[in-house]
Structures are given as C-alpha cells and as structure tokens.
Amino acid sequence: MTPKLSKTSISISALMLLGLCLGYAVTVLTRLPWWSLFFIAALWTALGLKLNWGHPVNARYRKVLPWSLVPLCIWGIYIYLADSFGIVDLGAVFFHLQAGMTDHGGTGKMFVAVFYTVVMVGVLAAVTWLSRHDQRWRLAERFFAILLLASNPLLYGLGQRSAAMMTDDGAWLDRRYMPPPTDELHDAPNLLIMYLESIERTYSNEIFGDAYEDLNVLGERGAVFEGVRQMDNTGWTMAGMIATQCGVPLMPAGLLHDSQFEPLSKVVPGVDCLGDILAEQGYRLSYLGGASTQFAGKGLFYRGHGFDTVKGREDLEPQLDDPDYVNSWGLHDDSLYDFTAEEIRRLNREDDGPWGVVNLSLAGHAPYGFPSQTCLDRQGEFDGQDILYSVECSAWLARDFIERLEGEGLLDNTLVVLLSDHLTMRVSVWDQLTALDRDNTLIMLDENLEPQRIRRDATMLDVFPTLLDALGFELEDNRAGLGASLLSDKPTLTEVHGLSVLNERLREEIDLQHRLWDGIAPQRVEEETTHEQVYETPADQANEVDVIR
C-alpha cells in the first residue's frame, strides 16, 4: 500500500506544479489577474486526478526521455523574458549578447532567473515522471512537443527572420536612407538632450493622475510632439538612442561581426549620427549617464561618434559625497543632474564654441524605478512597487533641473530636448498602459520654437531629422536617415506605409544592416550600382515620389 500511496502523492505533486506553471504562464501572456493562476492550477489538477494521470489502470513503466523537454525549456525562456520585460525583442537579446552586459543593474533579476531555472528543472522532472509512468502521456507529449515548437514566439521570430533573408528585396529601407547634412551651421545653438528612462508620453493620460504633470508644464512653453511610436529594434535604451541620433533602427551585427566570440569594438560605425555631425561643426560634446558606459556599448557608441567626454557610473560614483548613495544601476538622478550642471558650467566657462550635452536618467527604469532622496523628501514614502511614484519623481527632477539651469543663465541660446529613450517595459500599471495607444515623450524648448502641439504618425527615427531641423540645418527634402522632420510637412514613412509595414520590411532588410556595421563586417564584393526610385506598392507611387535620390 505504501508504494501506491507514494506514487499517487508524486503524481499529485507533479500535476500541481505543472498546473501552477501553466496558470502563471497564462497570466503573463494575457490580461488575466495574477490570482487566476490558482484557478487554472486547480482545474488542471482536478482534470489530472479525474483521468488518473501518472497512475492509470494497467500502467506500464518505460524509461523514456520525453521529446517535449527542449520545447519546454524554450518556452520557459520566453515566459521569463515576457515576465521581465513585457515585450520580448529578439533584437535586444542579440545586441546585448554582442555589445556586452557588464555592470548591468538588474541584480534582482539574477535571483529571479535562478528561481525560474529551479522551477523549470521541476517542470522537466514532472513531465519526465508522468511520461515514464503513464503511456497516455508518452503518446501525447510527442504531439505536444510539436505544438510547443510551432507556437513559441521566439522560434517564430527566428523563422520569420530566416525566411526573410531569402526574399528578393532586402534593401527596401536602405534605399530610403538619406545621408544627414554636411553644410556649415551658422549661429549654432547649444544643445541639451535629456533622455528620461522609460518615461513615455502615455503617462500623461488622466488615468495616471499627476505623474506626468511637470513635463506637461514644461511642454506648455515649447513644442510637444505627439504620436511618436515605437517600431521594432528601437525599444531598448541603446536602440532608442541610435534611432533618435542616427535615424535608423538598431539592427544587431549578428553574423556580420567579423569575430563572433568577441565583444563589439564599434557601434553602428557605418552611419553618421548626431555626434559626428555636430563634431564637424566644432561642437564640444559630452555624455553623462548614471549607469555604466560599459553596459550595452554606450561608451563605444558615444566615443565612436564624436563625443569628447563620456562619463558613467564608473567615472562619477567616486566623485559622490556619499559613496553609498547609489542604486543597483548606478547614480540617482539628483546626483546625475548635479554632475550635468557642473559639466554645462564648465563648457560655458570655456566659451570655445557651441556645446552639446546628453544625459540619461534612471528614475523611471522598470520594473519599479529608482526615486532619488530628493523625491522621497518631497513625495513621501515609496512603497517600492508603484512606478507612478518614480514617473512623478523623474518628471519633477527634469523640470527642476531645467529651471535651475535657466536661473543661472546657462541655457541661453540652447535647444533643450526631453524625450523617452523607449516605451517602458513591464511595470505595475502594465495592463493600463498596454490598453492605450502608446507613444514616446518628445518635447523641445527653444526661444525660436513657438509653443505648439504637433500630432504626427511618426517613430523615433523621425526625431533625428527633427533635431537637425530645430538646430538650423538645411535638410535635403526635410529628411535624414530614415526619418522626416516633424517640423516640416514631409510625410514620415509611418504616415505613408504604416507601422506594421515598416516592421515587416525591417525583418526582411539586409542592406541596411550592412550599412550600419560597415567597417567591422566582412566586405561584400559588389558591382557599383546606382539606385533609382523603386515603386513597390501603389502607396509608393502616390506618396513617395523622389524619396530616394
């Protein structure tokens, strides 16, 4: 009797574990509340007990290795990524593997990853035990393995990319690439770009209360751009920076990289970005960020594209009055803004031509944010979960920083740009955010820009030419990179084709990827050709005449 009871208890334990994991996966991938996982687990366990899974009549034991183990592991990876980031971007995964993840601040996620691994080992053990003790499971799990492989979005994305590489046209985006201007800029203004980590404009919706209010106040005296959406390969920090400063999506080097098992030595060396253009104009350029510049190639990107001063956590943390006043990613934003203000004072004192300063905040970083002590003093206790607290902190700190600089006269003849680096990843108000039409923050403040709201169907690629236009550059056809200036009436690619078409074309693109990584990719032997305008669709003929010159 004891062996039978033992076998029954093992079967129940295996079913309960599988039921809980199934319920959790469903809640991650849908809008069902977290507690519904227990209802799903109960139904699964009840079904298993009803059908006597694991101890059927006339049970026949076979020492088999289930086919579904590998497909289950791949699904486990996908669930972990979806639970951590909300949207799983394969481009981000591949880029970070090559660009490096040194000094990342996601130490908490490491413990979560270990927990996921332990649970997945339990899932694999449960499936193996059931398959060995129940002939019905042995027969069904083979078909289950095929279903798991066919339905996994990770494999679907890889399959799409592989199939796209066999298409006839892998240069659709590359033909639309417009080199940025090279003409001399007269009466060049200074430039301050503030990337507000994950602070998308969607937070301005009334359902989020006053979290975004300080940015709304700043926007009342500048140009506010609405409808700046997120296309594929622009949805993480480095990708957002490259999209807005180079006018291209960040297509990872992938197999184009000469040394597959070594980190990247350069980041998108094949295109001229904002830093390259401004350096040619005599700008003195500085980047300051609270996180390490070694993470995801930030230092490589800025040093390789014209920036003289590039400082991150490793440079700024030793200068803190209190070395313990940091978070898992790096400096709090109040510290970062103090260092940025000092850098601007230095550049103003030197008075040796125009300057450009870029900084990147951390307060709004998913999943909970990192509110600084000044926000805690102002807003009260932080519960450690509510991202809206951190959004309010980020917005207030940005406004306070700009007003301090203005009070010192440090922003005279300066274009100030506030923007999100990308849409936020999974946070406490994820379900509310994803139910809305989401867009990025883009606010420009300048004495030559009249207060206005500009609603355009655009992407982060259009920020690049808009920046150049606002600085006073003469843009050919009001375009640069793959974007169109939102201060002009030039249609954006999104307005002409729609976001879904751009994402589809991006999956098929080969030539643009080669353009981005020219210099570290193997050289292609090609006959020199001159591209002429190609009309792929009726929409091209109607709206995109002379897009390519």
Side-chain angles (χ1 to χ4, degrees):
M1 184 66 68
T2 302
K4 184 175 181 181
L5 288 175
S6 177
K7 184 177 179 180
T8 300
S9 62
I10 294 174
S11 176
I12 293 174
S13 298
L15 290 173
M16 289 180 63
L17 175 62
L18 292 177
L20 288 169
C21 291
L22 176 63
Y24 185 74
V26 171
T27 59
V28 167
L29 299 176
T30 67
R31 295 184 182 278
L32 290 176
W34 65 269
W35 48 262
S36 61
L37 72 90
F38 298 108
F39 180 70
I40 295 171
L43 286 179
W44 170 268
T45 305
L47 178 64
L49 293 175
K50 178 70 174 177
L51 298 177
N52 293 320
W53 283 344
H55 51 92
V57 179
N58 301 322
R60 294 186 296 275
Y61 177 83
R62 295 287 186 274
K63 191 174 182 179
V64 298
L65 199 62
W67 292 27
S68 58
L69 297 187
V70 172
L72 280 169
C73 288
I74 299 174
W75 258 108
I77 293 172
Y78 180 80
I79 296 298
Y80 168 73
L81 293 174
D83 188 29
S84 299
F85 305 109
I87 299 174
V88 180
D89 193 324
L90 286 176
V93 174
F94 294 144
F95 177 77
H96 283 85
L97 287 174
Q98 276 192 307
M101 293 182 283
T102 303
D103 292 334
H104 69 84
T107 52
K109 291 191 182 299
M110 298 297 291
F111 294 105
V112 175
V114 170
F115 177 74
Y116 264 80
T117 302
V118 171
V119 171
M120 278 306 302
V121 169
V123 168
L124 300 181
V127 171
T128 300
W129 191 91
L130 288 168
S131 298
R132 289 180 175 183
H133 289 82
D134 193 328
Q135 59 269 26
R136 295 170 298 176
W137 269 74
R138 285 197 292 277
L139 293 173
E141 69 91 21
R142 301 178 184 180
F143 300 100
F144 183 54
I146 296 173
L147 178 63
L148 286 174
L149 288 172
S151 61
N152 193 302
L154 280 179
L155 296 180
Y156 177 71
L158 289 172
Q160 274 193 317
R161 178 63 179 164
S162 300
M165 293 178 68
M166 305 301 293
T167 60
D168 294 333
D169 186 7
W172 193 88
L173 287 169
D174 191 63
R175 286 199 301 276
R176 285 155 177 78
Y177 179 84
M178 176 70 74
T182 58
D183 60 301
E184 184 177 353
L185 187 63
H186 299 286
D187 299 322
N190 300 318
L191 175 63
L192 171 61
I193 298 179
M194 299 172 60
Y195 285 99
L196 306 180
E197 170 68 49
S198 301
I199 307 299
E200 58 185 90
R201 203 187 71 85
T202 321
Y203 283 122
S204 65
N205 191 288
E206 61 184 8
I207 67 173
F208 302 117
D210 296 332
Y212 195 86
E213 181 59 26
D214 286 295
L215 294 181
N216 282 332
V217 171
L218 285 175
E220 289 174 359
R221 55 190 181 93
V224 176
F225 299 86
E226 302 176 355
V228 182
R229 302 163 68 191
Q230 183 165 288
M231 71 176 291
D232 290 350
N233 286 45
T234 66
W236 65 97
T237 296
M238 273 308 305
M241 287 181 165
I242 287 171
T244 54
Q245 293 185 41
C246 310
V248 292
L250 178 49
M251 304 178 72
L255 297 177
L256 298 182
H257 191 206
D258 280 334
S259 303
Q260 292 301 305
F261 301 103
E262 296 180 8
L264 294 172
S265 58
K266 301 176 182 177
V267 176
V268 294
V271 291
D272 286 333
C273 300
L274 183 66
D276 303 297
I277 299 165
L278 296 184
E280 284 293 319
Q281 301 291 330
Y283 275 75
R284 296 158 296 147
L285 302 175
S286 300
Y287 166 81
L288 296 93
S292 171
T293 58
Q294 297 181 51
F295 178 72
K298 283 198 292 287
L300 290 175
F301 171 70
Y302 282 103
R303 292 187 185 97
H305 287 277
F307 278 69
D308 313 295
T309 300
V310 179
K311 294 183 178 181
R313 176 176 188 166
E314 58 274 20
D315 309 289
L316 300 175
E317 187 174 348
Q319 301 179 40
L320 290 171
D321 294 333
D322 179 2
D324 295 327
Y325 184 53
V326 292
N327 54 61
S328 59
W329 273 101
L331 274 68
H332 286 284
D333 286 357
D334 49 4
S335 300
L336 173 67
Y337 288 151
D338 286 343
F339 283 120
T340 304
E342 185 53 43
E343 179 68 8
I344 292 174
R345 292 187 192 103
R346 179 185 71 82
L347 293 168
N348 272 303
R349 282 196 304 268
E350 291 178 357
D351 193 23
D352 187 23
W355 52 260
V357 172
V358 176
N359 70 14
L360 169 64
S361 70
L362 283 175
H365 200 293
Y368 313 120
F370 299 99
S372 63
Q373 185 60 49
T374 50
C375 292
L376 297 176
D377 295 340
R378 173 180 175 270
Q379 296 171 218
E381 185 178 356
F382 176 49
D383 66 3
Q385 303 287 323
D386 184 10
I387 192 62
L388 295 181
Y389 184 106
S390 300
V391 172
E392 181 180 350
C393 173
S394 180
W396 176 75
L397 283 172
R399 177 185 174 186
D400 178 70
F401 174 61
I402 290 173
E403 291 177 348
R404 279 195 291 140
L405 294 180
E406 289 176 334
E408 294 183 44
L410 296 174
L411 295 184
D412 295 341
N413 189 33
T414 300
L415 172 65
V416 178
V417 182
L418 299 99
L419 71 166
S420 49
D421 53 345
H422 53 77
L423 301 181
T424 190
M425 298 175 187
R426 187 178 288 273
V427 289
S428 58
V429 291
W430 181 250
D431 287 344
Q432 294 96 310
L433 281 171
T434 53
L436 299 170
D437 187 15
R438 303 170 71 188
D439 61 350
N440 280 285
T441 291
L442 178 57
I443 301 170
M444 291 187 178
L445 307 175
D446 185 87
E447 57 187 17
N448 297 318
L449 279 176
E450 63 181 43
Q452 57 187 309
R453 285 188 174 268
I454 299 174
R455 177 77 189 184
R456 299 283 300 274
D457 197 1
T459 67
M460 296 290 267
L461 306 182
D462 300 299
V463 175
F464 177 50
T466 307
L467 271 172
L468 296 176
D469 195 354
L471 286 169
F473 284 96
E474 293 291 333
L475 303 181
E476 184 177 356
D477 200 28
N478 294 303
R479 299 175 54 245
L482 293 175
S485 172
L486 301 179
L487 293 169
S488 73
D489 58 1
K490 179 68 181 179
T492 67
L493 287 179
T494 320
E495 288 171 329
V496 175
H497 301 285
L499 190 60
S500 60
V501 171
L502 293 188
N503 288 333
E504 181 181 348
R505 290 292 188 175
L506 181 61
R507 288 190 289 269
E508 300 173 356
E509 187 69 25
I510 299 297
D511 283 29
L512 181 64
Q513 185 182 25
H514 278 274
R515 180 190 290 272
L516 296 181
W517 300 101
D518 184 31
I520 67 170
Q523 297 299 307
R524 295 177 298 165
V525 179
E526 295 181 347
E527 295 182 4
E528 186 174 348
T529 60
T530 301
H531 286 305
E532 296 181 356
Q533 174 68 40
V534 177
Y535 302 111
E536 287 88 354
T537 68
D540 291 334
Q541 295 177 339
N543 299 298
E544 213 179 351
V545 177
D546 294 330
V547 163
I548 306 302
R549 297 184 183 276

